[in-house]
Amino acid sequence: MKNIKISQFDRPLPIIINAGWINALGLIRSLAIEHIPSISISREKFGLGLYSNQTIGLHCPDYRKSPEDLAAALLELSCRLKQPGILMPTDDLTLEALIQIDEQISPYFIKSYPSANLLDFILDKYNQYLSAKSAGVPVPFTIAPEKISDLDNWPEQFFPCVVKGRRGKQFNMTTGFQAFLIKSRRELEDFYTATAQAGVIIQEYIPNGDDHLFGYSSYISSSGELLGEFISQKTQQIPRGLGVMCRGVGNSGAAVGAQSLAWLQSLGYTGFSYIEYKLDPRDGQYKLIELNARSWLNQFMATLSSVNFPAIIYHSCAGEKLPPMKKQVDGVEWVSWMEDVLYVLGDIIRGRFNFREWKASLPHGRDVLFGWKDPLPAFIIPLYLFETYFNNRVKFKKLLSHNKQNLSQHDSSG
């Protein structure tokens, strides 16, 4: 699509923002399967949407500090569209920006995500836990400390615990990681001191392996009709224990559908969503991890399992007739082979894993990156991974240095 002009299209076009990572590639390829052209906007120089031949890739300024830059890019794009574009965001930073520019862009685009007010509410993870609990969804014990003395409210029996960002990606941008496992109160105090400015929540750690994490995905139309749903299971994530999926499988046997729909309906939720749970072996309940109001990493797994969410969203938002809702096909595996191999090599070097164990556990799923019809993104991925890994290591080392300094001051004052 590189040589095709946007002005050539008379139909509405899906607009993928930010088209940087695997979830964006899943959107692009899912739409291409149904012969739906798309536009992909990336703020990253190695954004996969810029290198895919199945979309029109556009680079835009980095709008993390200035949402007005995204507004300007979208308004300029709207002048080239013959029909309102259908916005499909891929990350929380983009959602935060879209909230701030909502009034400016609303007249020119159709949204596949909830209203700005609801988005603003649910992007705060502590709000998620409070509203889910009110709707009868099991949740782990969670607090949102605003000062160090609030840590006194954390029960001793709930160590180890998990610390993660309360809202958006500020925590990840500060630490380089999604979450941390904290083993003691002293460690919690030191870690909170180093990360409090990013806004954190502290959460009960649910035991069990990565393969006890499940996701409920859905799309609810603006009229409140459920048009698609899909249940998946993680089989491995990176980093191990507290990370993102690198292997997964469709599994409709996980009993998370009813509680998810009840919660979404109580919120008045419309749009695309992914709700993650972990099965607690202590009481057999699926407990909330988080709700994402956007596409998710393993979204293409749903497409391979007969539930093509991007196509469903497109037809719904464009006002076109939809085919009957399809039931998912279970057992389809999803694998990010390049990430899996890189992290396994790291584990083998550290003595945490051996080659025979990895070989014995090899999945049979389709690689999410490589495609014969669209090969270039697979070759861009190493550059993206290297840049991300390097930046995250720098952030983590700064955090460690900060913690050691705090610990030294704590010891000298004691």
Side-chain angles (χ1 to χ4, degrees):
M1 287 190 188
K2 295 300 181 186
N3 298 319
I4 297 177
K5 294 182 179 180
I6 294 171
S7 57
Q8 290 181 230
F9 295 98
D10 292 321
R11 66 194 298 190
L13 293 177
I15 301 169
I16 300 161
I17 337 169
N18 174 45
W21 191 225
I22 297 171
N23 49 352
L25 201 60
L27 291 172
I28 293 165
R29 290 176 175 173
S30 296
L31 291 164
I33 287 172
E34 296 293 327
H35 307 290
I36 300 171
S38 63
I39 297 171
S40 295
I41 297 176
S42 178
R43 64 173 186 265
E44 300 161 290
K45 60 184 176 183
F46 296 126
L48 299 186
L50 301 178
Y51 301 92
S52 170
N53 61 26
Q54 296 184 324
T55 188
I56 300 171
L58 301 175
H59 190 269
C60 76
D62 189 341
Y63 50 82
R64 285 177 290 186
K65 293 183 180 179
S66 176
E68 290 299 320
D69 288 340
L70 178 59
L74 289 175
L75 292 175
E76 188 277 331
L77 176 60
S78 71
C79 296
R80 301 161 63 188
L81 299 172
K82 292 185 178 180
Q83 298 286 338
I86 300 168
L87 300 181
M88 297 184 179
T90 67
D91 60 25
D92 287 349
L93 281 169
T94 298
L95 289 175
E96 294 277 10
L98 290 171
I99 290 173
Q100 296 181 57
I101 63 174
D102 184 66
E103 291 186 5
Q104 293 172 257
I105 66 171
S106 287
Y108 308 101
F109 296 96
I110 301 168
K111 294 177 282 189
S112 66
Y113 50 90
S115 68
N117 287 337
L118 182 55
L119 260 185
D120 189 48
F121 177 81
I122 61 179
L123 282 175
D124 185 321
K125 291 184 175 63
Y126 192 56
N127 287 344
Q128 290 186 18
Y129 288 100
L130 295 177
S131 64
K133 188 175 181 179
S134 296
V137 176
V139 300
F141 182 75
T142 306
I143 66 170
E146 296 184 355
K147 52 186 182 301
I148 195 163
S149 60
D150 291 341
L151 302 184
D152 295 338
N153 297 324
W154 189 256
E156 197 66 37
Q157 68 268 27
F158 283 157
F159 283 104
C161 62
V162 177
V163 178
K164 59 185 180 181
R166 177 169 177 168
R167 184 184 179 104
K169 289 292 183 181
Q170 188 59 43
F171 181 84
N172 179 267
M173 292 169 67
T174 300
T175 68
F177 289 85
Q178 301 285 348
F180 279 83
L181 188 66
I182 303 297
K183 298 179 181 180
S184 68
R185 188 167 300 278
R186 171 70 174 279
E187 187 179 347
L188 178 61
E189 291 172 353
D190 290 336
F191 190 82
Y192 176 78
T193 301
T195 60
Q197 77 281 1
V200 302
I201 58 173
I202 305 171
Q203 189 173 87
E204 173 190 4
Y205 176 70
I206 301 172
N208 253 343
D210 292 348
D211 59 348
H212 284 72
L213 288 159
F214 298 85
Y216 175 80
S217 316
S218 69
Y219 178 72
I220 299 174
S221 71
S222 58
S223 62
E225 182 182 2
L226 177 67
L227 298 180
E229 61 181 349
F230 177 72
I231 299 173
S232 58
Q233 177 182 6
K234 283 187 180 181
T235 51
Q236 191 164 284
Q237 61 180 352
I238 49 178
R240 315 297 185 221
L242 295 171
V244 295
M245 180 188 293
C246 65
R247 299 184 190 179
V249 64
N251 180 4
S252 61
V256 295
Q259 68 185 43
S260 299
L261 278 176
W263 180 29
L264 292 172
Q265 288 168 354
S266 73
L267 287 169
Y269 191 101
T270 59
F272 206 13
S273 68
Y274 173 79
I275 307 174
E276 188 171 24
Y277 298 96
K278 190 168 186 181
L279 180 60
D280 192 332
R282 299 167 296 185
D283 55 18
Q285 292 185 319
Y286 294 91
K287 294 184 177 177
L288 175 67
I289 301 299
E290 65 179 11
L291 161 64
N292 291 308
R294 51 175 171 76
S295 67
W296 58 100
L297 188 68
N298 58 309
Q299 172 268 312
F300 196 60
M301 188 200 313
T303 300
L304 297 175
S305 305
S306 298
V307 185
N308 189 331
F309 280 111
I312 293 169
I313 294 167
Y314 176 80
H315 292 306
S316 174
C317 291
E320 299 179 356
K321 185 178 179 180
L322 281 89
M325 184 169 151
K326 290 185 178 180
K327 185 178 180 181
Q328 75 177 71
V329 176
D330 281 343
V332 176
E333 287 188 291
W334 178 98
V335 187
S336 179
W337 277 104
M338 192 171 297
E339 288 186 293
D340 186 68
V341 169
L342 289 174
Y343 272 85
V344 165
L345 286 175
D347 284 347
I348 291 173
I349 291 171
R350 295 182 185 93
R352 300 173 184 171
F353 211 53
N354 63 59
F355 182 77
R356 288 183 179 179
E357 288 176 313
W358 177 65
K359 186 177 180 181
S361 66
L362 285 177
H364 303 286
R366 173 175 168 176
D367 178 63
V368 298
L369 297 172
F370 185 78
W372 290 108
K373 295 181 180 179
D374 187 25
L376 189 54
F379 296 95
I380 299 300
I381 280 290
L383 300 175
Y384 189 104
L385 288 175
F386 177 79
E387 182 182 47
T388 302
Y389 177 80
F390 178 78
N391 289 338
N392 286 348
R393 294 306 299 174
V394 169
K395 293 172 188 174
F396 186 56
K397 285 181 179 179
K398 285 182 179 178
L399 184 67
L400 284 179
S401 175
H402 189 285
N403 276 354
K404 286 179 181 178
Q405 185 178 2
N406 286 338
L407 187 60
S408 176
Q409 291 173 351
H410 187 283
D411 288 342
S412 62
S413 63

